[in-house]
Amino acid sequence: MRKLSLLFAGALMGASAMSLVYGAPGSTANAAGSETYKQLAIFGDIFERVRAQYVTPPDDKSLVENAINGMLTSLDPHSSYMNAEQAQDMRVQTKGEFGGLGIEVTMENDLVKVITPIDDTPAAKAGVLAGDYIAKIDGDEVRGLTLNDAVEKMRGPVNTPIKLTILRQGADKPIELTVVRDIIKVKAVKFRVENDIGYMKITSFTEKTYDDLENAIDSIKKQVPNDKLKGFVLDLRLNPGGLLDQAVSVSDAFLDRGEIVSTRGRDPKDVTRFDARPGDDIKGKPLIVLVNGGSASASEIVAGALQDLRRATVVGTQSFGKGSVQTIIPLGENGALRLTTALYYTPSGKSIQGKGITPDIKVEQPLPPDLQGRDLTRGESDLKGHIKGADEGSTGSGSAAYVPPDPKNDLQLIYAEELLRGQKTDPAFPPNPDKAVLNQ
């Protein structure tokens, strides 16, 4: 497996990646450096005055960490500093197993905003919903905390309770939920057979994802004879992203040629391309990909590649629109730096940053009565300080991030299955690989 950099949606924790070193000598850089060091001297002066004169003795380590995070969060919502403990937690989480509540979060309006609860975790079982704002943690206000501080407070020993005070759109008053911490074992791929259709849901892109996908495909093939198998549904809804190399491998599982994705850094020459290798694991069987506003980052790479190369038909609503790549730069015993170092582009050469993947067939999923009137829309373009995408328009990115718990009420899934069985027809299905949209 290729170990590359990480893609994140909100505060998805990742694992190790390549360390990048930048810098080039030159008079312009030296001149800029002289002014920069003057500004750093001002910072040093303020730091010493705070240490000496603040009403209560501050913690030096906390001051420095908050200053670093202030610098990084001013760049974009996905860059941040991780101390040694947080960096270790991140490495654990990309293995697909970690301790906590089981929610993907970001910071918005000084509150922790839930991007999505992970399936079958304490948070999901307790009733935490995508779009919820966490205002208090065990009675302590979230305002004034960094995202990392808030995440740290939500972690703790297994089987210990934590009380969350949640602000929810449409609710008359704050909601109090008690969640019992547990080991979060993220099952990267869930699958089942729907009579003559293989259904596979990728929940996140961890180190286990590609292997889990291969196992799912093999199991489905054993359960349904090839002549009876109508095709596959790949469900990427509510998938916040994860490892880039896993997104490439998952895409490659269904492709036997073509570029999967390219990443481009600040230097125009800094372009990395990832191509498919021969071999389609489902042997050309029809494939439909489901996306919605909870489909972000690595899941958008997969959807974009399969869509542009005309290997799959994408059904659902506009995806999240996170088209940036974060590289984890180890800092030894001082933790790690999570820094946005590139943007990624689909095979057609388009950036989905702030725009998202537009489905070939738009199918809205109605909200149940208890959620109607609430804003469940997720989108990168809504995040404060996000990088403006080259193709980002006034409509922005994202859509509702809701999937019914009962498949009988899942209109997007039902539509996909009816397409595969020939009960519905659409010009976008089946797609023609000979008409792939490629970057010229």
Side-chain angles (χ1 to χ4, degrees):
M1 285 297 152
R2 293 156 284 197
K3 297 301 177 186
L4 306 169
S5 42
L6 305 177
L7 302 173
F8 292 83
L12 176 65
M13 310 308 170
S16 58
M18 71 173 73
S19 175
L20 303 181
V21 180
Y22 293 96
S27 58
T28 302
N30 290 335
S34 175
E35 179 61 29
T36 299
Y37 283 116
K38 289 181 182 179
Q39 298 298 319
L40 288 173
I42 295 174
F43 171 80
D45 182 35
I46 293 173
F47 178 75
E48 291 300 332
R49 288 180 183 274
V50 169
R51 293 182 69 222
Q53 300 177 20
Y54 188 68
V55 63
T56 57
D59 178 70
D60 290 357
K61 183 179 179 181
S62 178
L63 285 176
V64 173
E65 286 190 8
N66 287 329
I68 293 172
N69 265 317
M71 172 180 65
L72 293 170
T73 54
S74 71
L75 299 175
D76 69 87
H78 309 295
S79 295
S80 65
Y81 166 72
M82 294 173 285
N83 60 30
E85 183 178 352
Q86 293 163 341
Q88 175 60 26
D89 287 344
M90 178 204 65
R91 286 189 286 271
V92 170
Q93 289 181 34
T94 37
K95 292 183 181 298
E97 180 176 316
F98 56 92
L101 306 182
I103 51 176
E104 304 295 346
V105 296
T106 188
M107 205 76 176
E108 187 174 298
N109 299 325
D110 295 325
L111 298 175
V112 173
K113 185 176 184 178
V114 178
I115 294 177
T116 183
I118 301 172
D119 289 345
D120 299 326
T121 62
K125 293 175 182 177
V128 177
L129 300 177
D132 282 349
Y133 287 89
I134 299 174
K136 293 182 181 180
I137 301 172
D138 279 335
D140 296 331
E141 291 282 350
V142 168
R143 293 184 188 276
L145 299 178
T146 66
L147 180 59
N148 286 338
D149 288 339
V151 169
E152 189 64 28
K153 287 176 71 69
M154 287 187 283
R155 294 175 181 169
V158 173
N159 295 326
T160 59
I162 181 173
K163 185 170 72 173
L164 303 179
T165 302
I166 288 175
L167 306 181
R168 182 175 292 168
Q169 180 77 24
D172 297 332
K173 58 182 180 180
I175 299 170
E176 302 283 351
L177 293 178
T178 297
V179 186
V180 179
R181 298 180 179 95
D182 198 359
I183 294 294
I184 308 302
K185 295 182 179 179
V186 180
K187 190 174 181 181
V189 180
K190 299 178 180 180
F191 68 94
R192 64 178 183 267
V193 170
E194 297 277 356
N195 296 318
D196 51 0
I197 292 173
Y199 171 84
M200 302 173 294
K201 178 178 176 62
I202 299 179
T203 58
S204 61
F205 288 84
T206 69
E207 292 178 7
K208 299 179 178 180
T209 301
Y210 176 72
D211 289 341
D212 284 358
L213 178 68
E214 290 290 281
N215 290 334
I217 293 173
D218 289 343
S219 296
I220 291 170
K221 286 180 177 179
K222 290 177 181 177
Q223 293 180 54
V224 186
N226 186 63
D227 60 338
K228 302 291 185 182
L229 187 60
K230 298 293 186 182
F232 292 81
V233 174
L234 183 66
D235 193 347
L236 299 178
R237 295 173 298 175
L238 302 183
N239 184 317
L243 292 166
L244 172 58
D245 71 318
Q246 293 291 307
V248 171
S249 295
V250 166
S251 302
D252 197 3
F254 305 104
L255 298 167
D256 56 16
R257 68 178 188 273
E259 179 182 299
I260 293 172
V261 67
S262 63
T263 63
R264 307 176 193 180
R266 182 167 67 180
D267 186 340
K269 298 179 181 178
D270 183 15
V271 178
T272 304
R273 302 182 187 279
F274 304 92
D275 296 322
R277 294 165 293 184
D280 175 357
D281 291 352
I282 61 173
K283 309 300 181 185
K285 286 287 185 180
L287 177 65
I288 292 178
V289 176
L290 299 180
V291 299
N292 66 6
S295 306
S297 198
S299 58
E300 293 175 292
I301 286 179
V302 175
L306 297 177
Q307 182 184 57
D308 281 1
L309 295 175
R310 296 294 189 261
R311 177 61 187 90
T313 298
V314 178
V315 173
T317 56
Q318 199 80 6
S319 66
F320 189 85
K322 182 184 177 297
S324 61
V325 180
Q326 280 67 50
T327 296
I328 303 303
I329 305 173
L331 302 175
E333 63 182 15
N334 297 315
L337 170 63
R338 180 167 59 204
L339 188 66
T340 300
T341 55
L343 296 177
Y344 67 77
Y345 294 78
T346 67
S348 64
K350 293 182 179 180
S351 167
I352 58 90
Q353 173 66 14
K355 183 177 185 297
I357 298 293
T358 302
D360 298 303
I361 304 173
K362 183 177 181 180
V363 179
E364 297 280 1
Q365 178 62 57
L367 298 178
D370 60 323
L371 294 180
Q372 288 180 4
R374 302 177 186 178
D375 184 11
L376 298 182
T377 301
R378 309 274 73 77
E380 172 80 6
S381 59
D382 295 327
L383 298 182
K384 183 179 179 181
H386 78 281
I387 297 172
K388 182 79 172 179
D391 298 316
E392 182 176 339
S394 58
T395 56
S397 64
S399 61
Y402 172 73
V403 177
D406 188 345
K408 294 179 181 178
N409 300 322
D410 191 341
L411 298 189
Q412 293 167 338
L413 175 58
I414 292 171
Y415 196 99
E417 293 179 345
E418 289 179 344
L419 278 175
L420 289 171
R421 293 186 177 118
Q423 296 166 335
K424 284 187 182 298
T425 60
D426 191 281
F429 180 81
N432 184 353
D434 293 333
K435 296 183 178 180
V437 182
L438 303 177
N439 187 23
Q440 303 298 325

